[in-house]
Amino acid sequence: MRISSLSLPLAALGLVGSAAAYPYSEADTITRRAAEDQAKADAVKEAFQHAWNGYTKYAFPNDELLPVSNGFGNSRNGWGASAVDALSTAIVMGNQDAVQKILDHIETIDFSKTDDMVSLFETTIRYLAGMLSGYDLLKGPAADLAPKSSQVDALLSQSKKLADVLKFAFDTPSGVPYNNINITSKGNDGSKTNGLAVTGTLVMEWTRLSDLTGDDQYAKMSQKAQSYLLKPQPSSGEPFPGLVGSNVNISNGHFTDGAVSWNGGDDSFYEYLIKMYVYDPKRFASYKDRWVLAAESTIKHLQSHPDPRPELTFLASYNNGKLDLNSQHLTCFDGGNFILGGTVLDRRDFIDFGLTLVDGCEATYNQTLTGIGPDSWGWDPKKVPADQKDFYEKAGFYISSGAYVLRPEVIESFYYAYRITGKEIYRDWVWNGFKAINETCRTDSGFAAVSNVNAVGGGSKYDNEESFLFAEVMKYAYLVHAEDAPWQVQKGQKNQFVFNTEAHPFRVAHT
Ligand SMILES: *[C@@H]1O[C@H](CO)[C@@H](O)[C@H](O)[C@H]1NC(C)=O
Ligand SMILES: *[C@@H]1O[C@H](CO)[C@@H](O)[C@H](O)[C@H]1NC(C)=O
Ligand SMILES: *[C@@H]1O[C@H](CO)[C@@H](O)[C@H](O)[C@H]1NC(C)=O
Ligand SMILES: *[C@@H]1O[C@H](CO)[C@@H](O)[C@H](O)[C@H]1NC(C)=O
């Protein structure tokens, strides 16, 4: 199905005619390459602008556009999630109009009011991180985009106000927070346990807030919660060194299971262990040590190769002595995370393993009719659905959920692979994926989730556009083709920024 990487996109952009027919010098090649990159970066900007126009026309200042009906939704408490999530992308794209509209909005948000329960995790990674990242970028390398400094300061004061609204969630016997809270009654949903990812994906945002405000209460709360994940009790909560269970008891911080994976629900706990070390290698060396243990155990115990295509690598999950041969689009951040850890720690083995994970995730994209990968897939030979036997033999996996809900993780890992290896193939894969998303999901007002990536046109469209389309898909697809900049991922220990799990770049502590 897929077309070899360079010829079609170039022709489609009108950049090459018969040029390939005659030889040109190396300098010409570099100039042509630069023009081609710029054209691709501009094409991503066009897609961002299309989605931004639709959102502002039909949905702003609500949370998200309904891209089929042109209505709006408020799935994230009605504070304008798409606008706040779009800020750091608008900044790196240099989109002054969008930046201004978002800054005008943020200073008016009343984070003390909502009709719905609040997710501590989602609110932290989208709103709190969106504002903190905007602050870091606009106080730093993108200062020229924000003429009113009071509006930049408001990003930090609103961050503090939001954290002050949320912080009662940590007020539990152990300090492990409730995730689903009622900010009006200061109540919660009565959960006895909290998940690994939702507990372990707060520490970057809440630490950054403390570092910027000089008020250490936020860092302390998030690091206290994290402490139970770093020193897991009881031993059944850590079946392999560094790899831990999925849930902790809110009353004492003990793990309640030993089910291990890098899938949704667990994923960004591992992601943040190494990212905290990038953020501040002095304060977070112990987080790095835990990440190294987890990474080594993952290579040893979770890597898995489908029978029909043993050259592919996927990550299985583990529970009670058994491997479960299923993976998810969400899991595909793993390649990028291994590559980041490998470059920062100068561990070639981690980079190489990350690249094999990247290849596996690319395989889920390039085997479907649309060229987009499924939301989840399996490779257990005993569970192949009867109607997917041929597909499984050819592709090496069968599709468990064929939806695509505008997730970024595959393109995200291609971005890390490109930035660290410099190999063009990874940019070509981003471009292929991005074109496929543009062709399959685009509506008159934005981009819609689709039901079946292995059906013509993606099956049917869902009337939903998650805010992470703006924060993540657009950002990684753009940055891989954009010029070098202080916020871009760098090799080795040169990173000036580190991306939170929603792709919001935070300035690292020591710069
Ligand atoms: C939150 O608590 C307030 C005050 O007790 C109550 O009126 C409201 O219905 C609760 N909200 C939710 C979503 O449960
Ligand atoms: C959590 O720990 C408490 C003891 O502090 C115990 O009574 C309770 O049963 C545990 N809950 C779960 C879900 O494991
Ligand atoms: C499909 O993915 C594999 C990696 O599994 C890669 O080697 C191959 O080049 C890809 N094909 C295309 C057409 O992108
Ligand atoms: C995205 O789709 C629009 C509308 O069909 C088209 O004009 C644009 O060129 C496409 N962009 C890419 C990168 O394919």
Side-chain angles (χ1 to χ4, degrees):
M1 264 311 285
R2 309 307 301 283
I3 295 128
S4 88
S5 46
L6 284 172
S7 53
L8 177 85
L10 275 177
L13 285 164
L15 288 177
V16 284
S18 56
Y22 50 85
Y24 37 81
S25 71
E26 198 177 311
D28 285 346
T29 312
I30 290 164
T31 316
R32 290 163 51 84
R33 183 79 224 174
E36 181 193 327
D37 295 343
Q38 191 54 50
K40 289 177 178 172
D42 288 347
V44 181
K45 281 188 182 174
E46 183 281 326
F48 176 91
Q49 192 66 50
H50 171 69
W52 180 250
N53 291 347
Y55 167 68
T56 52
K57 181 165 179 196
Y58 298 112
F60 178 85
N62 294 285
D63 284 341
E64 62 267 322
L65 170 74
L66 306 184
V68 178
S69 62
N70 293 338
F72 59 80
N74 278 308
S75 69
R76 302 259 77 92
N77 304 103
W79 298 320
S82 291
V84 179
D85 236 4
L87 176 59
S88 65
T89 303
I91 292 171
V92 301
M93 287 181 174
N95 188 330
Q96 176 102 53
D97 289 349
V99 170
Q100 191 54 54
K101 193 172 178 75
I102 299 166
L103 292 179
D104 291 344
H105 170 65
I106 287 176
E107 52 184 7
T108 70
I109 303 174
D110 182 353
F111 285 115
S112 71
K113 292 202 174 65
T114 181
D115 293 334
D116 301 309
M117 297 293 279
V118 174
S119 162
L120 177 63
F121 163 77
E122 296 286 359
T123 308
T124 293
I125 67 169
R126 301 192 204 208
Y127 288 108
L128 187 60
M131 294 190 290
L132 291 172
S133 171
Y135 183 84
D136 274 339
L137 292 164
L138 294 172
K139 279 281 171 189
D144 56 321
L145 285 171
K148 287 197 216 157
S149 70
S150 66
Q151 290 194 313
V152 180
D153 294 335
L155 293 171
L156 187 57
S157 57
Q158 285 286 58
S159 297
K160 187 168 159 38
K161 277 189 193 153
L162 175 57
D164 286 337
V165 164
L166 300 173
K167 68 187 180 190
F168 76 88
F170 291 93
D171 189 10
T172 65
S174 63
V176 170
Y178 289 100
N179 190 52
N180 297 309
I181 55 176
N182 181 329
I183 61 171
T184 312
S185 66
K186 294 203 189 309
N188 58 68
D189 66 355
S191 295
K192 301 288 179 231
T193 61
N194 205 17
L196 179 66
V198 297
T199 307
T201 317
L202 305 168
V203 66
M204 186 187 302
E205 292 82 357
W206 289 65
T207 297
R208 185 69 187 145
L209 178 61
S210 280
D211 289 353
L212 288 171
T213 58
D215 180 346
D216 70 358
Q217 60 170 321
Y218 312 106
K220 278 192 174 149
M221 283 185 256
S222 62
Q223 290 171 26
K224 169 83 181 172
Q226 185 84 20
S227 68
Y228 299 98
L229 313 179
L230 300 173
K231 294 195 179 65
Q233 295 290 328
S235 59
S236 56
E238 188 180 9
F240 303 113
L243 292 176
V244 298
S246 267
N247 294 284
V248 284
N249 187 332
I250 291 174
S251 81
N252 60 11
H254 287 192
F255 278 85
T256 57
D257 65 71
V260 161
S261 87
W262 285 63
N263 298 341
D266 300 326
D267 44 9
S268 42
F269 160 68
Y270 298 108
E271 178 184 353
Y272 273 22
L273 291 178
I274 192 66
K275 286 186 169 178
M276 289 309 285
Y277 179 72
V278 177
Y279 178 67
D280 190 342
K282 289 202 187 73
R283 264 184 291 170
F284 298 103
S286 66
Y287 288 51
K288 176 260 298 174
D289 294 340
R290 294 295 298 173
W291 185 86
V292 169
L293 284 179
E296 287 173 343
S297 290
T298 297
I299 294 173
K300 216 182 270 174
H301 301 291
L302 301 184
Q303 71 164 308
S304 177
H305 309 280
D307 289 348
R309 292 185 67 192
E311 78 281 11
L312 294 183
T313 303
F314 299 135
L315 291 189
S317 45
Y318 171 92
N319 194 15
N320 255 329
K322 279 204 218 96
L323 285 180
D324 183 23
L325 306 185
N326 270 289
S327 191
Q328 300 172 343
H329 198 291
L330 283 166
T331 320
C332 281
F333 81 98
D334 53 6
N337 196 236
F338 268 84
I339 293 166
L340 175 66
T343 191
V344 165
L345 303 175
D346 197 17
R347 288 275 304 257
R348 187 72 228 184
D349 56 335
F350 290 152
I351 295 179
D352 289 343
F353 186 68
L355 292 173
T356 69
L357 295 175
V358 164
D359 287 346
C361 292
E362 161 64 11
T364 71
Y365 266 53
N366 78 19
Q367 294 294 323
T368 67
L369 269 179
T370 57
I372 306 173
D375 204 49
S376 63
W377 66 91
W379 60 99
D380 185 336
K382 296 189 293 294
K383 294 186 184 159
V384 184
D387 61 349
Q388 290 194 54
K389 293 247 187 296
D390 293 347
F391 181 84
Y392 167 70
E393 288 302 328
K394 172 180 77 93
F397 62 93
Y398 48 86
I399 295 171
S400 328
S401 164
Y404 173 67
V405 300
L406 308 175
R407 292 196 197 283
E409 294 78 16
V410 174
I411 286 178
E412 171 183 348
S413 283
F414 295 163
Y415 169 68
Y416 281 90
Y418 173 70
R419 291 294 306 178
I420 301 312
T421 67
K423 289 195 178 144
E424 290 297 336
I425 185 78
Y426 301 115
R427 289 217 274 206
D428 296 341
W429 289 353
V430 173
W431 184 242
N432 292 344
F434 183 74
K435 277 177 60 79
I437 292 165
N438 187 56
E439 271 162 36
T440 310
C441 303
R442 190 163 169 135
T443 69
D444 289 344
S445 58
F447 292 84
V450 296
S451 65
N452 187 355
V453 293
N454 206 26
V456 177
S460 53
K461 288 194 167 69
Y462 295 122
D463 199 8
N464 193 35
E465 181 186 272
E466 283 274 0
S467 68
F468 49 67
L469 170 82
F470 291 104
E472 305 194 69
V473 174
M474 295 294 174
K475 186 181 288 107
Y476 290 122
Y478 173 74
L479 286 181
V480 80
H481 296 112
E483 284 173 6
D484 201 16
W487 46 75
Q488 292 263 26
V489 167
Q490 307 293 342
K491 285 185 203 171
Q493 297 178 351
K494 294 201 203 75
N495 287 290
Q496 297 177 50
F497 281 79
V498 59
F499 289 67
N500 96 319
T501 194
E502 189 84 354
H504 296 304
F506 283 21
R507 190 179 263 283
V508 301
H510 53 270
T511 59

